[in-house]
Amino acid sequence: MAKAGALAGATALLAGALTGCGGDGSPSVAAAGPADRAAPGSLRLSAPDALPGGYRAQGPADVLTDPPTRPLPAGYAAFDGSLKARYTDGSGGVLTIGGAWGTITDPGAVASSAISVMLAPREKWAEPMTDLDARDPHDPQGRLKCGVSTGSFLVNPVCLWADRYTAGSVAFPASVEGNPATIDQAGAADRTRRIRDAMTVPK
């Protein structure tokens, strides 16, 4: 339970930054999938029952589509919705995903804002967030960053992505601090690309 709570807290910070909701635990991240030349604002996130890697949903995703009550987050021209979902793998590890969708004019700004929130004192980096090849099927300018965070004696790989349609974060099951993370940055990036693509659907 302690592991799940700490992991959820770390992801709430990252998700809040991606959606412009701060660190209050409001729904957050995820992104990209079907058509080759999708029009701006034409894609959204979904939360399927199963995701690549053997993950299965713990329950229905929390989805918000209400208009934002505060100024749009940096990098957004329109903000259409957000979701938060939790999945488990065969070993009982919890995968936490937050995502948002709309019309994003500056994926880099969205990613930078999220990282600045994750640099709060409660989180530290065992491996700093670094750029990796997004291989985004919808946006050649899409961004993907992965790192390994530590907090509350836990170590977990974290990735975030942003493109012109969606933004998302994935926090993978944590290990005890001092032990190797369950997957490295390259492995986390590969899983995140597949999760991003599985979750992105047309509106």
Side-chain angles (χ1 to χ4, degrees):
M1 271 317 241
K3 287 187 179 183
L7 186 57
T11 305
L13 283 173
L14 186 54
L18 286 165
T19 60
C21 297
D24 60 3
S26 299
S28 57
V29 100
D36 279 340
R37 296 180 182 176
S42 62
L43 302 177
R44 65 173 177 85
L45 296 177
S46 65
D49 291 338
L51 288 174
Y55 297 104
R56 299 201 63 84
Q58 283 191 306
D62 295 327
V63 179
L64 288 181
T65 56
D66 295 334
T69 58
R70 59 185 76 185
L72 287 174
Y76 284 87
F79 186 86
D80 298 331
S82 62
L83 66 76
K84 181 170 61 179
R86 289 162 63 88
Y87 291 78
T88 56
D89 60 18
S91 65
V94 178
L95 179 79
T96 310
I97 301 174
W101 59 94
T103 302
I104 296 174
T105 55
D106 190 344
V110 174
S112 295
S113 176
I115 291 173
S116 68
V117 171
M118 283 295 286
L119 291 176
R122 58 193 288 183
E123 290 296 319
K124 298 180 181 179
W125 295 108
E127 296 181 31
M129 296 287 268
T130 56
D131 286 296
L132 294 153
D133 188 351
R135 301 176 195 169
D136 193 315
H138 305 296
D139 185 1
Q141 303 303 314
R143 307 296 296 272
L144 174 66
K145 294 175 178 285
C146 294
V148 179
S149 70
T150 64
S152 303
F153 307 106
L154 299 178
V155 177
N156 60 279
V158 178
C159 290
L160 69 88
W161 75 88
D163 58 28
R164 290 177 294 174
Y165 313 94
T166 61
S169 66
V170 182
F172 292 92
S175 61
V176 177
E177 192 168 5
N179 292 335
T182 52
I183 52 176
D184 60 15
Q185 284 178 314
D190 179 64
R191 294 189 193 187
T192 298
R193 292 184 196 103
R194 290 184 287 145
I195 288 170
R196 174 199 66 197
D197 295 347
M199 294 183 72
T200 304
V201 297
K203 281 188 176 175

